[in-house]
Amino acid sequence: MRLLNKQPGKLGFVMGAALPFFVALLIYVSASSIRLAENPNDKLLPDLSTISAAIQRVAFEPDRRTGEYVFWQDTAASLKRLLTGVALGALVGLTIGVPNGLIPWFGAFWSPAVRALSMIPPLAILPILFIMFGVGEFAKVMLILFGTAPFLMRDVEQRVRELPREQLIKAQTLNASTWQIALRVVLPQILPRIVDGIRLTLGAAWLFLIAAEAIASTDGLGYRIFLVRRYLAMDVILPYVAWITFLAFMLDFGLRQLNRRFFPWYGTER
């Protein structure tokens, strides 16, 4: 049997998935030991005990000034901004993308504008957003919206155009209106595809969130990372980066499970 036809079992899959993380941890511990042996005060690669103490301090001990648990407060603030921005981006993606792909006259007007909008680097307009909307929550959510919505609009438009033309013709022979075709033929097939689109935009959404929080914020994961970097507090920065990675992975996993749960035909179709 050729190697490309061999499938790993559950144990093999788990071990294969865990191996890169184990290797990365082993390399880090080795590098940290070497640097600390040369300089016990080195802050670049703190040992695991130092990192553990920092996690205990920020996550499980109340802040002396505010009395709040900083780590969880930052997590809640960042997730609220991220999920709000991505949800609005998905809503705009559906609202504009479906008629762009389904209705020729609508697409003739809006599709070129969407393509042009998608070419604007979202971080380039960050100062404009702060000038227009201030440095509050709305500007941060708008940055995530602006960074994700154009991609989702173009992706949904393309997916609509890829639907079999025969389905639209058959619906019209049954006297279905454009509105009925959009809701009962197009939308059910597009929903799992936009979930995949959201998965693809999550990385960019995190980037825009961290950038906005780093520039103008008083809480959030990005804010905390850029706050403590001036003290070279790698014992705080590294757990925060690992936590962001874990949250992003769990969001992606949750979206995959959402597709499997509500659209079981989608996976088998591919």
Side-chain angles (χ1 to χ4, degrees):
M1 180 181 292
R2 292 182 175 86
L3 184 61
L4 63 89
N5 295 320
K6 293 183 179 180
Q7 297 290 337
K10 287 187 177 181
L11 180 60
F13 180 81
V14 172
M15 292 179 62
L19 183 60
F21 297 98
F22 176 77
V23 172
L25 180 62
L26 184 62
I27 292 174
Y28 176 85
V29 171
S30 301
S32 175
S33 300
I34 293 172
R35 290 187 66 92
L36 291 175
E38 297 177 355
N39 179 14
N41 296 321
D42 181 73
K43 292 185 176 182
L44 183 61
L45 296 177
D47 58 21
L48 296 183
S49 62
T50 304
I51 293 176
S52 177
I55 294 174
Q56 175 67 29
R57 184 175 68 255
V58 298
F60 303 107
E61 295 178 4
D63 184 73
R64 295 179 181 178
R65 183 172 58 87
T66 63
E68 297 176 337
Y69 293 88
V70 173
F71 183 80
W72 304 112
Q73 179 188 9
D74 290 338
T75 300
S78 291
L79 284 179
K80 179 181 177 182
R81 294 163 186 152
L82 180 80
L83 296 178
T84 302
V86 171
L88 289 175
L91 180 60
V92 173
L94 274 176
T95 304
I96 303 298
V98 169
N100 261 359
L102 183 63
I103 305 173
W105 274 105
F106 192 96
F109 283 100
W110 287 104
S111 187
V114 170
R115 288 197 297 270
L117 194 65
S118 67
M119 299 303 170
I120 301 175
L123 292 180
I125 69 165
L126 182 57
I128 300 175
L129 293 177
F130 283 152
I131 292 171
M132 292 178 59
F133 304 116
V135 295
E137 297 298 299
F138 188 68
K140 301 178 183 65
V141 172
M142 283 299 296
L143 177 63
I144 299 172
L145 170 62
F146 188 86
T148 58
F151 169 82
L152 292 173
M153 284 188 284
R154 294 188 67 181
D155 186 60
V156 169
E157 176 185 346
Q158 183 63 32
R159 298 296 173 263
V160 172
R161 291 180 176 175
E162 290 175 355
L163 293 177
R165 187 68 183 172
E166 293 81 3
Q167 295 182 359
L168 306 183
I169 294 174
K170 290 178 180 179
Q172 292 177 72
T173 61
L174 295 173
N175 203 32
S177 65
T178 301
W179 182 252
Q180 289 174 321
I181 293 173
L183 289 181
R184 304 184 65 177
V185 178
V186 175
L187 191 60
Q189 299 183 77
I190 291 302
L191 286 177
R193 290 172 169 84
I194 198 171
V195 172
D196 274 352
I198 293 172
R199 290 176 57 199
L200 294 175
T201 61
L202 276 179
W206 276 105
L207 171 64
F208 305 140
L209 172 69
I210 299 302
E213 290 181 343
I215 295 175
S217 188
T218 57
D219 57 8
L221 299 171
Y223 162 77
R224 196 66 54 186
I225 289 174
F226 278 81
L227 177 67
V228 301
R229 71 182 174 86
R230 67 187 68 176
Y231 309 112
L232 299 178
M234 294 295 289
D235 56 338
V236 175
I237 293 175
L238 290 175
Y240 265 69
V241 172
W243 181 241
I244 291 172
T245 304
F246 175 76
L247 290 176
F249 178 84
M250 292 307 298
L251 287 173
D252 180 79
F253 177 79
L255 290 171
R256 283 192 289 121
Q257 295 305 310
L258 180 69
N259 259 354
R260 291 180 181 178
R261 172 66 177 83
F262 292 99
F263 310 104
W265 54 266
Y266 181 58
T268 56
E269 178 192 68
R270 295 178 296 168

